[in-house]
Every structure is written in structure tokens, then in C-alpha cells.
Amino acid sequence: VAAPQPQQLTLLSGIAAGFTNDLVKRFNSALPQTHINLQTSAGGVVVVSAVDGGQGQLGLAQSDVVYLAYRRGIERNQYPHKNLRAIAVLWVNTFYVVVRRDSPIKSIADLKGKRVGIIRPGTSGEFSTRIVLGVHGMSYADVQPIFEPTDDLMPKLGSREIEAVFSANPLMLTAAHSLSQTVPLRLLPIGRTEVNRLRGSYPFLKPVTLAPNQLKGQDQPIETLGAEWLLVCSSDLSEELVYQLTRAFFEQLPALARDHGEAALIDPEQAPARPIPLHGGAARYYRGREV
């Protein structure tokens, strides 16, 4: 008798390529009855609509984006994404606004009329940029936005083609680290007052304090915001399959954390604290583990 064909699944992600590639490899070796294909997407906003619409079965996306999509819809897809389910909370994605240290710009409001680099549309970071500008009474009409990957924007900050870079990442931006070796940089703060105002509409945003020395010459803590990333799935997947995926994820986590800085930020105790319903298979795993 021919062996049954493995079940084909697609995982969509636009973040943490090294971690995601490794995760998919580990899933495929731990669960021979499934085969997961990794599909790179623009980012979390695209991922939630693709998983809800059945173009993929698994994805990584930011909790505020997931929550909004599930409740109301997001961007061009303004309907509740009721097929989304949570498997696990991952790490906090931190929002960074980087300027040159010698820049006169001290706050978000000072960016009016300036050329600013923004991570590409479709990403959770670009979504966050819009709401951060909004809480400062601004929109893209008030700045000159340039949308490119962060790695392409940082050199433009170095050469003064742009005045600031908006991006989001689980760890301090590698491109900012590199540039700061030759061009002194600063992070713009986003104060608690603004973060708390945003949380009225986006309850899964959280205040984040960046410890000193994450960026060369940054000797003070900096207030900003962040949101947790989630591993999400389609409600159509069987309870048994999602149970096995959740179990495999936590079994592989120590090895993933050794190799990937963002995986080291995942707290298994916080994993079920999600903004949308857990998939039944994930819930069964957490019940068994008494989390």
C-alpha cells in the first residue's frame, strides 16, 4: 500500500526570515505526515487576510493587526476575519524611529514636512507608523513618505537623503547598528501619554522601554511602543493537527532560541495570552500543560 501523501500546508510570514525558515524545517521533520511550505509575504496585514481567506493555513502577524482583523477587518478587507485562530504568542515587536544624532528633530511632531523612510505597506510596522502619526495629529500628507525596506532606508538616513526611519522589529534593527558605527544615531521617544491614547483603540499595543546601549551612544532608556507577534492558523485545521503543531513548536523552542535572538524572547507562560480565540488543538495542548 502506498504511504499516504503528507498534508500540504502553507505558512505565510514577512518577518524574521532566519527564524521562520528554521521553524518550518523543524515542523517538517517533527511531523512527517504534514509538509509545510513557507511563503514570504509583505507582512502581517497581508498574512491575516490570506489565512482568513484560505490562501494559507498558518501565519505570523502582530497582535493588534490580528485583533483588528478578527473584530472588524483591516485595510481593504473590511469584514470580520472570523476564520483566524491563535496558536501561540511569540515575541514583542518593538517600534523604532531613528534619526541622526546631530538632527534638530526631537519628537514625532518635528517631522512635519520632512522626508521620512517608512517600512513597506502590508507590514505591521507600516500600520503602526500610520497610527503613531495619527496620535500626533499627523498623516502621510504631513510628511514626505518614502516606502522601502529598512535595510535600504538606513543608508539614506546616513547620507541625509531622509530625516528619519520608521520601522518595527523584535530586536534592535541590524541596519541601525551597522550605520551607528560610522554615523551617530538617536531614537525618537513615543511617550506614555500617546501610547495610552492609542491603547484606547488598539488594546494590544503596549508601552516598551528600550534599555540603554541597544544602539551605540544611546545612554538613556527610551520610551516607545510594541505589540506581540502571534503564530495564527485557520479555524479549518483539525484539532489533532494543531495540537501536534503546538506541541512541536514548544518542543523545538529551546533549540530555536539558541539560534535566533527573537525566539529567545518567547515566554512559554505567556503563549496562550492571545487577542483572538485559541484554536481547539492549541487549547488542548495548553490544558494538558496547565498553562
Side-chain angles (χ1 to χ4, degrees), residues 121-167:
T123 58
S124 301
E126 187 270 334
F127 178 82
S128 300
T129 300
R130 265 180 286 147
I131 65 176
V132 166
L133 288 173
V135 82
H136 290 87
M138 294 161 71
S139 73
Y140 287 152
D142 297 298
V143 295
Q144 298 176 53
I146 290 139
F147 298 99
E148 287 181 19
T150 305
D151 290 1
D152 297 346
L153 290 169
M154 280 298 168
K156 293 183 173 168
L157 182 65
S159 61
R160 300 184 192 274
E161 287 171 69
I162 56 178
E163 299 274 356
V165 173
F166 286 81
S167 192

Side-chain angles (χ1 to χ4, degrees), residues 220-268:
Q220 298 293 321
I222 302 280
E223 310 269 274
T224 183
L225 56 89
E228 283 155 331
W229 271 72
L230 297 177
L231 178 58
V232 296
C233 68
S234 162
S235 59
D236 301 341
L237 294 181
S238 76
E239 182 182 312
E240 181 57 26
L241 173 59
V242 176
Y243 174 80
Q244 296 296 346
L245 285 164
T246 311
R247 194 182 73 179
F249 177 76
F250 286 102
E251 283 172 356
Q252 298 299 328
L253 189 56
L256 285 163
R258 279 197 298 277
D259 293 342
H260 307 282
E262 54 278 273
L265 304 173
I266 298 172
D267 176 0

Side-chain angles (χ1 to χ4, degrees), residues 105-114 133 136 138 143 188:
I105 289 160
K106 296 286 188 274
S107 70
I108 303 288
D110 294 342
L111 291 169
K112 273 216 169 101
K114 302 288 194 284
L133 288 173
H136 290 87
M138 294 161 71
V143 295
L188 290 187

Side-chain angles (χ1 to χ4, degrees), residues 164-221:
V165 173
F166 286 81
S167 192
N169 209 54
L171 303 163
M172 173 54 70
L173 307 161
T174 311
H177 262 309
S178 307
L179 181 61
S180 71
Q181 304 309 310
T182 52
V183 176
L185 300 175
R186 247 186 318 115
L187 294 162
L188 290 187
I190 298 161
R192 287 292 176 266
T193 311
E194 286 74 25
V195 175
N196 288 334
R197 275 182 32 220
L198 280 172
R199 292 181 75 187
S201 307
Y202 305 97
F204 288 91
L205 288 175
K206 48 177 52 182
V208 172
T209 302
L210 294 171
N213 304 318
Q214 292 199 24
L215 197 58
K216 191 174 176 185
Q218 175 218 339
D219 53 5
Q220 298 293 321

Side-chain angles (χ1 to χ4, degrees), residues 90-111:
L90 305 180
W91 52 74
V92 173
N93 214 35
T94 300
F95 189 70
Y96 297 100
V97 188
V98 187
V99 296
R100 294 173 63 105
R101 197 175 310 156
D102 61 9
S103 164
I105 289 160
K106 296 286 188 274
S107 70
I108 303 288
D110 294 342
L111 291 169

Side-chain angles (χ1 to χ4, degrees), residues 45-63:
V45 173
V46 176
V47 168
V48 287
S49 294
V51 173
D52 182 71
Q55 289 90 46
Q57 293 74 40
L58 298 158
L60 272 67
Q62 199 166 289
S63 55

